[in-house]
Amino acid sequence: MRKKIPQNTKFIFVTGGVVSSLGKGIACASLGFLLKARGLKVTIVKMDPYLNVDPGTMSPYQHGEVYVTNDGAETDLDLGHYERFISEDMSQMNNVTTGQVYNTVISKERRGDYLGATVQVIPHITDEIKRRVIVVAEQTRVQVVLVEVGGTVGDIESLPFLESIRQFCLEAEPGNVITMHLTLVPYIETAGESKTKPTQHSVMRLREIGIQPDFLLCRCDRHLKRGIKEKIALFCNVRPERVIEAIDVSTIYEVPLNFAKQQVDEKIIQRLNLKTPAPDLAQLRKIVQKINKPDHKVTVAICGKYVKLRDAYKSIMESFTHAGVANNARVKLKWVDSEDVEEHGPEKYFADVCGILIPGGFGDRGIEGKLHAIRYAREKHLPFFGICLGLQCAVIEYARNVCKLKHANSLEFDPNTPYPVIHIMESQKSVKEMGGTMRLGVYPCVIKENSLASRVYRKERIYERHRHRYEINNEYRECLEKNGMVMSGLSPDGLLVEMIELKDHPYFIGCQFHPELKSRLTDPHPLFVNFIKAALKFCK
Ligand code: GLN
């Protein structure tokens, strides 16, 4: 049965052209922000045209961070931007990949659901893509669903998604669907001009497919002259007032303000026949001002193995921006490759920083360097923050150097270690497949009274998101505790250690979960806020 497009939901499809990395995710998140600020209920869906079912099995070098939702889906990092901008929790439904679409269609075919039909890209794959958008509308009951299509127009693999949008425009109530295209308008120095041809070509490709964009978002590094906008409008068959500048800004949180200045949100709701009051952007303006002109600054190191590809730590970077605002400080991040620390020692890299963060990760490369970094932070009383693998490394370092358990390790890195202080979780032992099988999503954690964690959170029970297979081995808990490590956060049954800290250290915290996934601009995460506070104090 084909699903009917609901008549009381509005849909905005956003495609991209010319080149990737134009900031489509941020653009969608910003539009979502503005519509929500107008009192509308909004959600955002990311469509990824790759064949992986989800990015969970991809290397961070391929894909950047894997963003984990409350319900435990491993998703595209753009969902992180959506959550941070619109402050709504995303779920599994909000990320659709070609892999998922084909998986569903092929399973149906094997079950015989297609009753003898030849199963084809059109209509079966395109129907499944549309169904997934409709399901989001039905289940979330939002007024506006924004849909971002990953990739760039002209890619073979995104064709079924674009075809689905074309059909969607045809089948939905007129006035209920908007298509937007994000394109690049480069300034060519030698010609002294902003050039419109790449945009013309990109829109031409879209129109060949049957999609006429209603709005163009033109990424540019300087304002576009009126003549340029008019030229784009004429050649692309878009009204001039709907040719919008997406100009480079100093912080991504300025993008909604820039769109609002051009009344994009007003133009969208008019086009969708909605009536809402203008948004109040005073708070965002204040925050952006604080990001751009804070009174203090502080440098903290991120010591990991993907430091050459910052996208792997997107949410951590944003969490630091949020925590910076809360501390009226600019947080400068010093990226330190843990393999370099292994080779040259910690002094060279950390003598000038006010705190060290060890982020999550997999595999044994660079582990010894991380252990050096942690020992340095512990002994010098430098604020330390370990996330997931960072907590596990802190435990290994403590076991080796304080508890004197020589060659203590995680079974992930050394299956023959005499002291497996980190071992595979019981629930993971039977796992055979790699995709979507880690301990994923939100779990409760009970905070120990009078601990640093309880001063940070000011709560007895917290809910944080996880993505890991390994865990502190309970056999070593007593030994670690006897030597001064505090297990400051436990699963409600007491069996899993979720947070650790050190008694004789001003600020040393490790957590098995990923707090960076829950930090919001208007609701910065206390673990980041307090880490920066401690860093500022350390360097005073
Ligand atoms: N590799 C570790 C584990 O699987 C840590 C994972 C992480 O840091 N996300 O438990």
Side-chain angles (χ1 to χ4, degrees), residues 251 253 282-293 325 521-522:
T251 155
Y253 298 108
Q283 192 196 11
L284 182 63
R285 264 191 212 104
K286 243 194 237 152
I287 292 177
V288 166
Q289 206 174 13
K290 269 201 187 161
I291 295 176
N292 287 334
K293 287 199 181 73
V325 172
L521 188 58
T522 47

Side-chain angles (χ1 to χ4, degrees), residues 231-259:
K231 190 169 171 188
I232 292 173
L234 180 66
F235 280 87
C236 298
N237 199 31
V238 174
R239 290 197 200 176
E241 71 274 16
R242 293 185 187 160
V243 177
I244 310 294
E245 282 173 7
I247 200 161
D248 294 354
V249 279
S250 54
T251 155
I252 54 172
Y253 298 108
E254 219 173 307
V255 175
L257 298 177
N258 178 46
F259 282 168

Side-chain angles (χ1 to χ4, degrees), residues 360-362 388-389 392 412 467-470 514:
F362 297 83
C388 205
L389 178 69
Q392 297 175 359
E412 182 181 4
R467 182 173 189 253
H468 59 114
R469 295 190 200 278
Y470 292 82
H514 289 271

Side-chain angles (χ1 to χ4, degrees), residues 9-10 12 35 40-43 142-146 272 274:
T9 315
K10 310 287 184 181
I12 303 175
L35 296 176
L40 293 166
K41 268 199 87 195
V42 183
T43 194
V142 294
Q143 288 152 293
V144 185
V145 180
L146 275 139
L272 290 173
L274 290 168

Side-chain angles (χ1 to χ4, degrees), residues 122-142:
I122 305 173
H124 302 101
I125 295 295
T126 49
D127 275 356
E128 176 57 20
I129 292 171
K130 287 186 290 176
R131 187 190 69 82
R132 284 172 176 258
V133 175
I134 295 167
V135 165
V136 171
E138 287 173 348
Q139 299 210 351
T140 59
R141 295 170 177 275
V142 294

